């Protein structure tokens, strides 16, 4: 059974802090890893993807991948109230299908 | 440039009724996907189409059928709706492997 696990939260951080969102996966053959932001009642939006071990930065977002530990994380620096949303992690094994975690709800308090 | 459009936005069905959810994209992408999302859960893949004329099953295909009518359109059909199919359905258009993913606004379906 392929699984992707996320802490459902809610994760609450103060404005300006770093939010750290975590995701673990069970299939060692996983090839690529994706983070999405989903506002309440809206559709998911792809914000980051990472293929290789290490860090990938895009603006205030950093994705971190550790394949040995089967762990991928998303860091949001200088968190803003507009970052309050559910963040979904997804893992790809075969180049086509994505397995999603249940999402972590993030709340950024002014 | 509308991206990905879905119709209808909301639908209420009675058990046993049938309906078709429509999805269209204007980005000339080869791949299109159908997902369902239940409360407090991530997305689960129902069916996908890697190119015009091809479709494949995802994690939860039972009770659904799909048609890739042309490159733009990918429809999802419920032949005999069941309460367990109450969910939000998202269509996605995919390109560059999985590096580009665009989701439609969703269809909120309730089966009574």
């Amino acid at each position: 059974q392929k699984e992707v696990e996320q802490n459902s939260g809610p994760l609450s951080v103060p404005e300006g802090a770093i939010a750290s969102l975590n995701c673990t996966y069970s299939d060692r053959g996983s090839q690529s890893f994706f983070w999405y932001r989903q506002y309440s009642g809206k559709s998911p939006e792809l914000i980051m993807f990472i293929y290789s071990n290490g860090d990938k930065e895009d603006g205030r977002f950093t994705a971190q991948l550790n394949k040995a530990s089967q762990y991928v994380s998303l860091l949001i620096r200088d968190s803003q109230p507009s970052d309050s949303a559910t963040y979904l992690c997804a893992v790809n094994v075969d180049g086509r299908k994505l397995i999603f975690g249940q999402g972590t709800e993030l709340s950024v308090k002014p | 440039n509308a991206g990905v459009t879905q119709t209808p936005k909301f639908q209420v069905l009675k058990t046993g009724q049938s309906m078709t959810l429509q999805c269209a994209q204007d980005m000339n992408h080869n791949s299109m996907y159908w997902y369902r999302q239940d409360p407090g859960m991530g997305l689960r893949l129902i069916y996908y189409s890697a190119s015009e004329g091809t479709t494949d099953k995802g994690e939860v295909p039972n009770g659904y059928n799909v048609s890739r009518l042309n490159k733009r359109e990918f429809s999802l059909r419920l032949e005999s709706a069941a309460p367990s199919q109450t969910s939000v359905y998202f269509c996605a258009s995919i390109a560059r492997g999985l590096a580009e993913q665009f989701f439609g606004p969703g269809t909120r379906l309730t089966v009574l």
Side-chain angles (χ1 to χ4, degrees):
Chain A
Q1 175 74 23
K2 300 183 180 73
E3 289 187 353
V4 177
E5 299 287 342
Q6 295 181 255
N7 187 327
S8 60
L11 172 67
S12 183
V13 300
E15 184 174 356
I18 296 174
S20 178
L21 302 157
N22 304 316
C23 176
T24 59
Y25 59 95
S26 61
D27 192 328
R28 286 195 171 273
S30 300
Q31 301 174 2
S32 49
F33 307 84
F34 301 82
W35 282 101
Y36 306 78
R37 178 175 59 202
Q38 186 175 26
Y39 292 114
S40 180
K42 301 296 186 182
S43 56
E45 174 191 4
L46 178 64
I47 53 174
M48 292 282 291
F49 60 88
I50 186 167
Y51 297 114
S52 304
N53 274 332
D55 295 359
K56 179 181 179 181
E57 188 174 315
D58 183 1
R60 295 187 297 114
F61 298 100
T62 299
Q64 298 177 319
L65 175 61
N66 184 325
K67 287 189 176 181
S69 300
Q70 296 177 243
Y71 179 94
V72 57
S73 63
L74 179 71
L75 302 179
I76 306 175
R77 290 183 299 281
D78 188 24
S79 295
Q80 301 296 310
S82 59
D83 294 324
S84 297
T86 295
Y87 289 80
L88 300 167
C89 168
V91 171
N92 170 253
V93 175
D94 63 0
R96 296 203 183 279
K97 299 176 186 175
L98 290 161
I99 305 297
F100 283 80
Q102 73 270 39
T104 297
E105 182 184 350
L106 172 66
S107 177
V108 181
K109 304 294 187 184
Chain B
N1 185 345
V4 182
T5 58
Q6 290 184 238
T7 56
K9 286 186 170 51
F10 300 93
Q11 184 71 49
V12 179
L13 293 178
K14 294 181 180 178
T15 295
Q17 289 184 318
S18 62
M19 77 162 295
T20 299
L21 282 65
Q22 307 285 356
C23 175
Q25 52 94 5
D26 62 3
M27 296 173 284
N28 202 35
H29 290 167
N30 285 323
S31 299
M32 297 181 73
Y33 289 51
W34 276 107
Y35 293 97
R36 61 177 287 173
Q37 185 175 34
D38 300 308
M41 296 183 68
L43 281 69
R44 290 186 291 169
L45 182 63
I46 304 171
Y47 271 93
Y48 68 101
S49 171
S51 61
E52 185 178 352
T54 68
T55 60
D56 286 285
K57 295 180 181 179
E59 295 174 80
V60 289
N62 291 345
Y64 305 94
N65 285 300
V66 291
S67 295
R68 184 72 184 270
L69 305 169
N70 47 55
K71 194 169 188 179
R72 289 188 66 249
E73 298 172 290
F74 188 36
S75 63
L76 178 71
R77 183 160 178 85
L78 287 70
E79 291 291 352
S80 179
S84 61
Q85 294 177 305
T86 293
S87 191
V88 180
Y89 292 84
F90 291 104
C91 176
S93 182
I94 312 286
R96 291 182 54 223
L98 294 165
E100 291 184 2
Q101 300 178 35
F102 298 93
F103 288 81
T107 294
R108 283 149 182 80
L109 175 67
T110 300
V111 183
L112 302 175

